[in-house]
Amino acid sequence: MHLRGSGEIGELGSALNGALDRLSARELNAFGKELIESLPGVFYMIDRQGNYLMWNSNLERVLQRSAKEMASSHPLDFFEGEDKAAIDTAMRHVFEQGEVSVEAVLVAKDGTKTPYYFTGRRVQRDGEPVLVGMGLDIAVQREGVRVTNALLQRNQTLMQNSMEGIHVMDVEGDVLEVNDAFCRMLGYTREEVMHLNVRDWDKKFTPEELRVRFRDFIGKSGMFETVHRRKDGGLLDVEICTTGVEIDGKGYLFASSRDITERKKGQAAMRRHERVIETAMDGFWMTDERGYVEEVNAAYAAMSGYTIQQLVGMHISHLEVTGQPEESGAHLGRISSGGTSRFETQHRRKDGKVIDIEMSITYMPECRKFFVFCHDITQRKLNEGAMRVAAATFETQDATLITDAQANIIRVNRAFTRITGYTPEEVMGKNPNIMSSGRQDKAFYGAMWRQILETGGWAGEIWDRRKDGVVYPKWLTITAVKNELGVTTQYVAIFSDITERKQAEEEIRNLAFYDALTQLPNRRLFQERVHAALAASARYADFGAILFIDLDRFKLLNDTLGHEYGDLLLVEVAARIRHCVREMDTVARLGGDEFVVLLEGISGDKADASYRIERVAEKIRQALSSPYRLREHEHHSSPSIGITLYHGNDESMEALLKHADAAMYQAKNAGRNTICFYDPALQHDLESRAALEHDMRHAMANGGLRLLYQVQVDKEHRAVGFEALIRWLHPQRGEVLPASFIPVAEESSLILDIGDWVLETACTRLAAWGRDARMREMTLAINVSAHQFRHGDFVDQVDAALRRHGVRPSRLRLELTESIALHDLDEVVQRMQALKELGVQLSLDDFGTGYSSLSMLKRLPLDQLKIDQGFVRDIASDPASAVTAQTIIDMAKNFGLDVIAEGVESEAQLAFLKHHDCKAYQGWLFGAPAPAEELPALMEKLGGV
């Protein structure tokens, strides 16, 4: 039985009110009996005199009355005592105020009494007010409340009477219930504890660690020791017994805590007492009341030069420099009266050497013994003298700060305050990194501290921040101070402000390496960067370029508006060029209106590098050809740009500049506002590439592209599908293969247009095949570029095309290249899952030639792997290709994927693949790529094999 608390009765009232809100008199008249019979609990409608106008069968059943009896009854007939008076009052209240809710016991004909929760509301019916009411049986709820309250009262009594601290928490550590013993233990009031989390008194766990630890307790019990922090900050050791339970899907922890602080202290004290004499580095004695040594440790024996046997029985006055037993005895008498004493004195070693000693003596009256600890402070005394000498030299013109071994500042001089703006009080105890400017990264500081730890010091230039936020350069020297054991005890840092020196150096550098007008690098700095770029090109075997830029008709501007306007134009030209190139590239002004650009690390392929460089040059040309606003004048200009490529350091910088200059003059001779390469062959290649892109755009618009279809067969050579292969029929070049034009399309937006066209054409073809009995079960595979796959609405495009043509999604297979997984594998998997949900099949094309890994393959939701034709071609002659093909087949089996081999052209290749259980094949052995109209004949031929 499910017991519900009293709060649930209020929820029942809300439910009844909601039902009454939907029951107007109009609705009652409209739906009548069907409506009221569908309501929960009992339903009734009475007029002002208490006559029943309408009721449901539930009311008859509960009251054990027939319809005739109900019609002649009054509502008060079914209640007794106080409930009858309450119902009478409630009925009057409804007709006066509009609505009411009340609990009362309903009495049946046989005397059965059932508590109900009633809700009534006044409505208009035929112009007269009537009372519409509903009631729900709350007997179960009342019993649940009674049992629950009894259990709670019993548990509360047990908790409050417990001598141990008890608290209840959820898995987040928030307190739900405590007893008085727990509050006393932590020093909080009950009200304060109820607003706390376990981390307020036990801070060793982060919130996430706490949740994990608490969840581990669910369904278990355990006992452990920990440390709690009281409200007043004091720590106490506790022993905890905890049990975790789960109630209604929520976790709770019931913990009983016992304060074991005194027990732990006693145990610790015993351990310390047992070990103190043996392990103390300080000297230890125990003497009787007269001052005779009864016990001594090895540390004091080493300190004094005597053996332990020689010291036992010796009077302590023999060790002191004064050497007077009477004086030592009087001193011991004063100590025994006070109990303890701490002072400095001097002892004489066996060899006669005097050492400074700090003494700590405690008299134990229980055993009438003196316990004495002796600490040799001879070196400290010497150091103090040295420090007094050092203090005189501390206040120099350079800033000085001293830190402890943990790099916390313990002292600074006046020069430090003058340079940094921080007073000693503001930095004491803090790490010097409060002054860090952020200009040096973690690697810089890591290297600095490695050198300090290895060599004991570091010196160099660093940037710090003053108190007012100003960043400034300083020369810093750090020295580690070590003790006699070689352990670092302090760090001393001395620094000076070198702002003025840096400013002077920067001014000299700008004059030497930068153009005063445009702030671009000048010829000297440009030459240095070209030399470095040539060396890098030789090291990495990549291509770069030098662009020589000259402004067309610049002299005319100077002659008409003057040099002031010419300077304004040069400054704007410099800004536009810098905006067109990467941050790593160099833009320089050689003089007048001549600019040069150094492009580095473009590509390892000469044709590709040339294409990319031409794109950058065109971007610069367009930027410099846009109108200029020179104060009140609008000026139009254009550049002539010459380009020369470099590869390694085969040519000198001077030769490269000469080539770029020559190409620039070639551009001027070609009519200005144009770009020319120094290498005629590259110029021809770029023009051909541009022409190819231009023609491709026309082919897209004029239907110059078409799809051919190559058959895919199973092990019995039966056709199971086709792959769509794109071809371009060029009016002058004839048929152009994808290897020639797809790379050009991928470097522009054309690849997306081509991909959309292939998808649309393929779905059109599948729809046509659906009407042909021979073709309706054939699948069709199309290639999808990485650019197309990553496009935001690709999945929606596929879905729309399939719906538009009425194609069954499983007949479409998308062949994806491995490069799709190079960027954000999680997003790739999510997009592939969306395609799979459409019902589309997914194949990984050219598997094994790119970036595949087992971990990647495991995550991708694929249907098929496609063995690249490069492996198939050499199966019979190259063992490595054979092993690779066999491995791919086995891998596909292990991952539950289909596998198909492309490029099958010989019987030997087919035999190998069949032997290793390859399931499907594609290649010229079964048919060349063919137009759609030739496929029926091919199907007939294959059917006869």
Side-chain angles (χ1 to χ4, degrees):
M1 178 180 291
H2 177 62
L3 297 178
R4 294 183 286 190
S6 60
E8 195 163 342
I9 296 176
E11 297 175 5
L12 295 176
S14 299
L16 291 178
N17 280 327
L20 291 179
D21 284 340
R22 298 186 293 271
L23 288 176
S24 68
R26 181 186 301 274
E27 289 174 322
L28 289 172
N29 291 332
F31 300 103
K33 196 67 174 177
E34 290 185 9
L35 179 60
I36 65 173
E37 288 299 328
S38 67
L39 295 174
V42 300
F43 170 83
Y44 48 89
M45 180 190 295
I46 61 177
D47 61 17
R48 189 183 291 272
Q49 289 73 37
N51 299 313
Y52 281 95
L53 305 177
M54 188 180 298
W55 60 90
N56 64 359
S57 58
N58 282 341
L59 186 60
E60 294 178 2
R61 178 182 53 78
V62 171
L63 295 176
Q64 301 171 0
R65 298 293 202 280
S66 65
K68 183 177 180 180
E69 291 175 312
M70 289 299 303
S72 61
S73 298
H74 189 278
L76 297 181
D77 296 339
F78 308 123
F79 298 94
E80 296 177 348
E82 293 179 357
D83 286 351
K84 178 177 290 191
I87 292 296
D88 186 33
T89 300
M91 290 170 57
R92 290 198 304 272
H93 183 83
V94 169
F95 286 101
E96 294 170 1
Q97 304 296 327
E99 62 180 70
V100 73
S101 296
V102 64
E103 288 183 32
V105 176
L106 202 60
V107 181
K109 189 174 184 178
D110 65 355
T112 301
K113 297 180 180 181
T114 307
Y116 265 73
Y117 183 93
F118 296 98
T119 296
R121 178 167 296 178
R122 183 185 64 210
V123 300
Q124 294 295 320
R125 186 188 192 202
D126 300 327
E128 293 294 327
V130 296
L131 184 154
V132 176
M134 292 180 64
L136 288 179
D137 184 346
I138 58 172
V140 174
Q141 285 83 354
R142 284 190 173 181
E143 178 61 15
V145 170
R146 187 191 67 78
V147 173
T148 301
N149 287 338
L151 290 173
L152 288 174
Q153 185 175 2
R154 186 193 68 177
N155 292 340
Q156 190 74 13
T157 301
L158 291 174
M159 279 185 63
Q160 293 306 323
N161 290 331
S162 174
M163 297 295 291
E164 296 183 347
I166 297 176
H167 59 285
V168 183
M169 302 170 291
D170 60 21
V171 293
E172 300 295 329
D174 293 322
V175 175
L176 305 178
E177 187 57 63
V178 296
N179 68 352
D180 293 339
F182 185 83
C183 296
R184 289 194 299 272
M185 185 188 305
L186 294 183
Y188 290 96
T189 66
R190 177 180 176 82
E191 290 71 22
E192 290 172 333
V193 172
M194 295 304 293
H195 292 87
L196 296 182
N197 182 279
V198 66
R199 295 187 65 250
D200 291 312
W201 64 79
D202 192 344
K203 298 180 179 297
K204 63 177 175 290
F205 297 109
T206 66
E208 183 56 34
E209 291 171 339
L210 190 70
R211 283 192 292 272
V212 172
R213 182 177 175 86
F214 276 16
R215 289 194 187 103
D216 288 342
F217 271 106
I218 301 302
K220 304 175 185 176
S221 296
M223 180 177 290
F224 57 93
E225 293 182 4
T226 185
V227 178
H228 284 178
R229 185 179 298 277
R230 289 172 48 83
K231 179 182 177 181
D232 60 10
L235 301 178
L236 54 100
D237 295 284
V238 293
E239 183 179 62
I240 295 180
C241 179
T242 184
T243 299
V245 299
E246 186 171 359
I247 302 174
D248 293 337
K250 296 183 179 179
Y252 300 90
L253 276 87
F254 296 80
S256 174
S257 306
R258 178 181 300 165
D259 185 352
I260 59 171
T261 304
E262 293 304 318
R263 187 181 78 189
K264 299 287 285 188
K265 286 181 179 178
Q267 293 171 349
M270 288 297 295
R271 288 193 297 270
R272 288 195 299 271
H273 182 72
E274 293 168 357
R275 300 285 296 173
V276 66
I277 295 177
E278 293 83 2
T279 61
M281 295 182 66
D282 289 340
F284 170 79
W285 310 335
M286 185 181 73
T287 75
D288 61 15
E289 288 184 298
R290 296 175 298 166
Y292 287 94
V293 176
E294 295 184 349
E295 187 175 339
V296 66
N297 69 354
Y300 185 76
M303 190 186 303
S304 65
Y306 293 98
T307 66
I308 293 176
Q309 292 76 13
Q310 290 171 330
L311 288 167
V312 173
M314 185 183 293
H315 195 274
I316 59 174
S317 61
H318 185 77
L319 299 169
E320 296 177 342
V321 172
T322 58
Q324 300 298 322
E326 297 80 7
E327 185 176 341
S328 298
H331 192 191
L332 290 176
R334 290 191 295 272
I335 294 173
S336 63
S337 299
T340 61
S341 180
R342 188 183 188 94
F343 57 92
E344 293 181 7
T345 187
Q346 289 183 317
H347 282 190
R348 192 180 303 279
R349 286 172 46 86
K350 183 179 180 180
D351 59 10
K353 181 180 178 181
V354 175
I355 57 175
D356 292 290
I357 298 290
E358 184 178 43
M359 306 282 288
S360 178
I361 304 179
T362 300
Y363 177 66
M364 304 293 289
E366 298 86 352
C367 58
R368 297 182 180 181
K369 307 290 183 185
F370 289 95
F371 291 83
V372 184
F373 282 93
C374 310
H375 181 62
D376 187 348
I377 59 172
T378 306
Q379 187 60 47
R380 190 185 79 187
K381 289 289 188 179
L382 294 174
N383 292 341
E384 288 173 353
M387 286 296 291
R388 286 191 291 272
V389 175
T393 60
F394 186 63
E395 297 298 341
T396 66
Q397 291 299 310
D398 289 338
T400 303
L401 70 83
I402 301 175
T403 75
D404 59 19
Q406 289 72 44
N408 299 311
I409 298 173
I410 59 176
R411 190 176 180 189
V412 297
N413 66 355
R414 285 190 291 270
F416 173 89
T417 299
R418 174 174 51 79
I419 292 175
T420 67
Y422 287 99
T423 65
E425 294 75 19
E426 291 172 323
V427 297
M428 287 302 176
K430 297 182 180 178
N431 191 290
N433 62 19
I434 64 172
M435 298 177 288
S436 175
S437 66
R439 290 199 180 187
Q440 283 82 26
D441 57 15
K442 290 183 179 179
F444 171 87
Y445 287 106
M448 181 183 78
W449 278 104
R450 280 195 299 273
Q451 182 174 335
I452 294 172
L453 295 175
E454 291 171 2
T455 67
W458 181 88
E461 183 181 303
I462 195 170
W463 289 80
D464 265 357
R465 190 181 303 275
R466 305 185 207 273
K467 180 181 176 181
D468 59 7
V470 174
V471 175
Y472 70 102
K474 67 184 185 184
W475 184 263
L476 172 65
T477 301
I478 301 176
T479 303
V481 179
K482 299 180 183 294
N483 61 17
E484 62 275 7
L485 299 177
V487 177
T488 299
T489 59
Q490 295 170 331
Y491 295 99
V492 178
I494 301 174
F495 60 88
S496 57
D497 186 345
I498 58 172
T499 302
E500 293 182 0
R501 191 187 82 187
K502 294 289 290 183
Q503 290 173 345
E505 291 175 353
E506 186 67 19
E507 290 176 5
I508 294 172
R509 183 175 182 275
N510 286 339
L511 290 172
F513 293 106
Y514 288 88
D515 175 54
L517 177 63
T518 63
Q519 300 303 308
L520 293 177
N522 60 15
R523 180 184 292 270
R524 181 178 175 183
L525 182 54
F526 183 76
Q527 290 173 341
E528 289 186 5
R529 293 187 178 177
V530 170
H531 286 304
L534 295 180
S537 175
R539 184 162 58 252
Y540 298 113
D542 54 18
F543 285 87
I546 293 177
L547 281 61
F548 201 112
I549 304 170
D550 185 86
L551 301 181
D552 299 330
R553 300 184 179 89
F554 177 71
K555 185 175 182 298
L556 180 62
L557 173 64
N558 280 337
D559 292 343
T560 55
L561 297 180
H563 289 279
E564 182 181 3
Y565 285 88
D567 289 347
L568 293 175
L569 177 65
L570 294 175
V571 171
E572 178 62 21
V573 166
R576 292 188 184 187
I577 297 175
R578 277 187 296 199
H579 186 69
C580 292
V581 298
R582 303 168 298 178
E583 188 174 347
M584 64 179 288
D585 299 323
T586 299
V587 181
R589 181 187 177 210
L590 299 185
D593 62 334
E594 293 181 340
F595 296 84
V596 285
V597 178
L598 173 64
L599 303 177
E600 302 183 53
I602 302 301
S603 175
D605 178 73
K606 188 174 184 180
D608 183 57
S610 303
Y611 178 74
R612 294 174 183 268
I613 292 165
E614 190 272 339
R615 290 269 183 169
V616 175
E618 176 59 23
K619 185 178 180 181
I620 294 173
R621 188 197 66 77
Q622 292 181 8
L624 300 187
S625 300
S626 299
Y628 297 82
R629 172 58 61 179
L630 306 178
R631 293 181 182 166
E632 72 278 14
H633 295 282
E634 181 175 271
H635 178 71
H636 293 268
S637 182
S638 61
S640 295
I641 304 176
I643 306 173
T644 184
L645 270 65
Y646 65 82
H647 186 244
N649 51 12
D650 295 337
E651 292 189 277
S652 67
M653 185 218 48
E654 291 78 11
L656 292 171
L657 277 176
K658 191 176 296 183
H659 295 164
D661 187 39
M664 183 273 293
Y665 277 106
Q666 183 181 348
K668 282 192 176 293
N669 294 333
R672 297 185 176 86
N673 194 21
T674 191
I675 302 166
C676 284
F677 275 84
Y678 175 74
D679 187 341
L682 286 176
Q683 185 70 28
H684 178 266
D685 289 344
L686 286 173
E687 291 173 356
S688 299
R689 195 169 185 132
L692 190 66
E693 182 178 335
H694 176 270
D695 293 347
M696 198 186 314
R697 294 186 184 277
H698 282 279
M700 286 292 300
N702 301 322
L705 300 179
R706 63 172 179 161
L707 290 182
L708 299 182
Y709 304 89
Q710 187 169 35
V711 70
Q712 298 174 334
V713 302
D714 60 15
K715 296 184 73 170
E716 283 73 36
H717 302 179
R718 293 177 304 213
V720 293
F722 294 86
E723 180 182 2
L725 302 171
I726 191 170
R727 296 292 187 267
W728 175 15
L729 191 60
H730 193 279
Q732 285 81 37
R733 304 185 186 193
E735 186 174 78
V736 182
L737 295 178
S740 299
F741 67 86
I742 290 299
V744 177
E746 287 182 336
E747 291 172 358
S748 66
S749 61
L750 280 175
I751 192 63
L752 297 177
D753 297 332
I754 292 174
D756 293 344
W757 177 83
V758 170
L759 176 62
E760 185 69 19
T761 305
C763 288
T764 302
R765 179 58 55 197
L766 283 170
W769 288 354
R771 298 186 292 272
D772 186 336
R774 293 170 300 175
M775 305 293 289
R776 65 167 55 108
E777 296 303 322
M778 295 295 107
T779 62
L780 182 57
I782 63 173
N783 291 279
V784 176
S785 74
H787 295 286
Q788 184 182 9
F789 179 82
R790 288 195 293 268
H791 201 266
D793 59 352
F794 176 65
V795 177
D796 293 336
Q797 289 179 339
V798 173
D799 186 28
L802 292 169
R803 292 177 183 275
R804 188 163 48 251
H805 295 282
V807 174
R808 191 169 74 247
S810 60
R811 297 178 59 208
L812 178 65
R813 175 177 284 120
L814 304 182
E815 293 195 355
L816 310 173
T817 61
E818 295 173 329
S819 61
I820 63 166
L822 286 180
H823 305 285
D824 197 345
L825 183 58
D826 291 335
E827 182 180 347
V828 170
V829 171
Q830 183 179 1
R831 190 159 296 175
M832 291 177 68
Q833 289 285 11
L835 290 168
K836 291 285 292 179
E837 290 174 5
L838 295 180
V840 174
Q841 298 188 55
L842 300 178
S843 175
L844 192 60
D845 196 10
D846 301 335
F847 182 72
T849 63
Y851 313 95
S852 296
S853 66
L854 287 177
S855 60
M856 182 195 81
L857 189 62
K858 182 179 179 181
R859 292 190 61 188
L860 297 181
L862 295 167
D863 298 288
Q864 183 187 72
L865 294 183
K866 195 168 193 179
I867 305 175
D868 182 69
Q869 59 183 344
F871 299 129
V872 176
R873 183 189 308 114
D874 300 326
I875 278 179
S877 58
D878 179 19
S881 294
V883 170
T884 302
Q886 182 180 349
T887 301
I888 294 173
I889 295 170
D890 293 339
M891 190 183 305
K893 290 180 183 177
N894 292 333
F895 282 99
L897 302 177
D898 294 332
V899 62
I900 185 173
E902 66 176 354
V904 181
E905 299 180 356
S906 70
E907 293 292 343
Q909 295 167 345
L910 179 62
F912 177 91
L913 293 167
K914 282 189 175 182
H915 176 72
H916 291 286
D917 201 24
C918 181
K919 300 297 185 183
Y921 319 96
Q922 175 183 340
W924 283 62
L925 183 62
F926 306 101
E933 54 270 18
E934 296 180 10
L935 298 185
L938 176 62
M939 293 287 289
E940 183 177 349
K941 175 184 175 183
L942 289 173
V945 174

